[in-house]
Amino acid sequence: MAATNRTDDTSGTAEAEAAPGADSGPLPGGRAQPKTDKSEQTRALILETAMRLFQERGYEKTTMRAIATEAGVSVGNAYYYFSAKEFLIQGFYDRMTHDHAADARRRMAHTRDFAERLQIALDSWLDTAAPYHEFSAQFFRTAADPNSSLSPFSNESHPARATAVELFRDVLQGSELAPKLDAELVDLLPDVLWLHLMVVVLYWVFDRTEDTERTREFVRRSTPMAARVINLSRYRVFRPIVRDAKGLIQDFILPTIGKTAVK
C-alpha cells in the first residue's frame, strides 16, 4: 500500500500546512509527533472527529476534508498529524490500546488468580472495542495487508503493541502463578498472550452476533484452557514440551513481529 497516496477531495496536495505550535518530528507511519499541549489537543480532536464520522458515515465515505471541516481545522493541518486517512487507523489503534490497558489494570487490581486476570484483560478489550465493531472490518481490510505499516505486526505498530504486551506482562506478574514458572517462560509469555489476543480480535472482526456474544463465549471457554496449559508448564514432566514450544515460538513466531528480538 502506498500509504501517502491521498485519494479524497484534496486534489493530491503533497504538502501539509505546518501545525501551529507543533514539533516537526514524525511518528512512524506518517504520524506527526505532538510536543505541546495545543498540538496534542489538535491531534486528539482530529482523531475523535474521525472516529465519530467513521461510525456515522462509514470509513470509505469519510474524507480527510470532511474530518478537517468537522474538527474545525484546515485540511493541511489534518494531514500534518495523519499523512493519509489510513493512518487514522494507527491513531485509533494507539488510543484504544492505551484505553484498554488502563481499563484492564483497574478491573484486575484486586485479584491475583491468573485465569481471572487473563479473562478480565480479554473482556476489557472487547468492551473497549465494542463501539467500533460496526466498521472494524473496514479497518481490518487495511491492517491485514502484511506489507502495510498499519499491520499490528509491523515496526510502525510497535509502540501500541509494546503497550499491549506490557499489559499481559502485568497480567502474569501480578498473579500468584508467576513465581512458580520458569523465568524464561515468564519472559516469553506476554508476547504469546498478545498473540492470543490477536486471535480473539480476528474472531471479533467477523462476529455478527448481538453484542459479539460468540466472541465473548470464545473468550470464556478458551481462557481457562490457556490458563491450565500455562499452569501445567511448571511441572517437571512437562519441561521438555515447554522447551520445544518455547523454541518454536522464538524461532518462527517472534521474528515475524516488528522490533521483536529473539533472545
Side-chain angles (χ1 to χ4, degrees):
M1 177 191 302
T4 55
N5 289 343
R6 297 172 185 169
T7 55
D8 65 7
D9 50 355
T10 61
S11 302
T13 302
E15 294 183 2
E17 299 173 13
D23 195 275
S24 59
L27 285 168
R31 295 169 287 150
Q33 172 68 68
K35 292 293 181 67
T36 68
D37 289 343
K38 183 177 180 180
S39 62
E40 178 58 46
Q41 290 170 4
T42 302
R43 184 180 185 278
L45 174 63
I46 293 168
L47 181 59
E48 288 166 7
T49 301
M51 294 301 105
R52 175 172 58 81
L53 292 182
F54 290 161
Q55 288 179 292
E56 293 174 358
R57 307 177 185 182
Y59 176 76
E60 298 295 342
K61 293 182 180 179
T62 302
T63 65
M64 285 291 281
R65 182 174 294 278
I67 294 168
T69 299
E70 286 286 321
V73 302
S74 69
V75 177
N77 207 352
Y79 274 124
Y80 175 83
Y81 289 99
F82 300 95
S83 64
K85 187 175 73 171
E86 291 87 348
F87 286 109
L88 285 159
I89 299 174
Q90 188 67 64
F92 161 75
Y93 182 38
D94 290 343
R95 189 180 72 175
M96 203 184 81
T97 302
H98 178 272
D99 291 346
H100 166 225
D103 180 69
R105 287 189 173 100
R106 177 183 58 80
R107 293 191 192 190
M108 66 184 183
H110 302 295
T111 181
R112 296 202 64 220
D113 181 80
F114 173 69
E116 289 183 22
R117 290 172 68 85
L118 182 57
Q119 176 85 44
I120 288 169
L122 296 174
D123 284 343
S124 171
W125 188 93
L126 292 173
D127 292 339
T128 304
Y132 309 104
H133 185 254
E134 287 300 316
F135 56 91
S136 61
Q138 296 172 321
F139 279 6
F140 182 76
R141 185 166 62 247
T142 303
D145 180 354
N147 296 317
S148 172
S149 61
L150 303 181
S151 164
F153 297 92
S154 70
N155 283 333
E156 289 81 1
S157 295
H158 175 73
R161 187 172 58 250
T163 298
V165 170
E166 192 59 30
L167 168 63
F168 286 110
R169 193 176 307 281
D170 287 352
V171 168
L172 180 61
Q173 294 282 14
S175 75
E176 87 296 345
L177 181 60
K180 304 174 185 177
L181 298 178
D182 181 273
E184 286 186 303
L185 188 60
V186 169
D187 189 55
L188 181 67
L189 275 174
D191 286 291
V192 176
L193 294 174
W194 176 78
L195 289 170
H196 177 61
L197 173 63
M198 291 300 98
V199 173
V200 172
V201 171
L202 179 62
Y203 196 92
W204 174 84
V205 166
F206 294 101
D207 185 357
R208 289 297 174 260
T209 58
E210 186 175 356
D211 194 29
T212 59
E213 181 54 36
R214 284 187 64 84
T215 305
R216 293 178 183 276
E217 181 63 19
F218 173 74
V219 168
R220 281 193 290 269
R221 292 174 61 177
S222 65
T223 301
M225 293 174 58
R228 282 197 295 270
V229 169
I230 293 170
N231 188 56
L232 285 172
S233 70
R234 64 194 177 101
Y235 295 108
R236 187 178 301 276
V237 68
F238 292 106
R239 288 293 175 85
I241 298 175
V242 171
R243 290 194 188 97
D244 288 345
K246 177 175 178 287
L248 283 171
I249 293 167
Q250 287 186 318
D251 293 343
F252 293 99
I253 297 178
L254 295 188
T256 68
I257 302 175
K259 291 190 178 179
T260 298
V262 178
K263 297 180 181 180

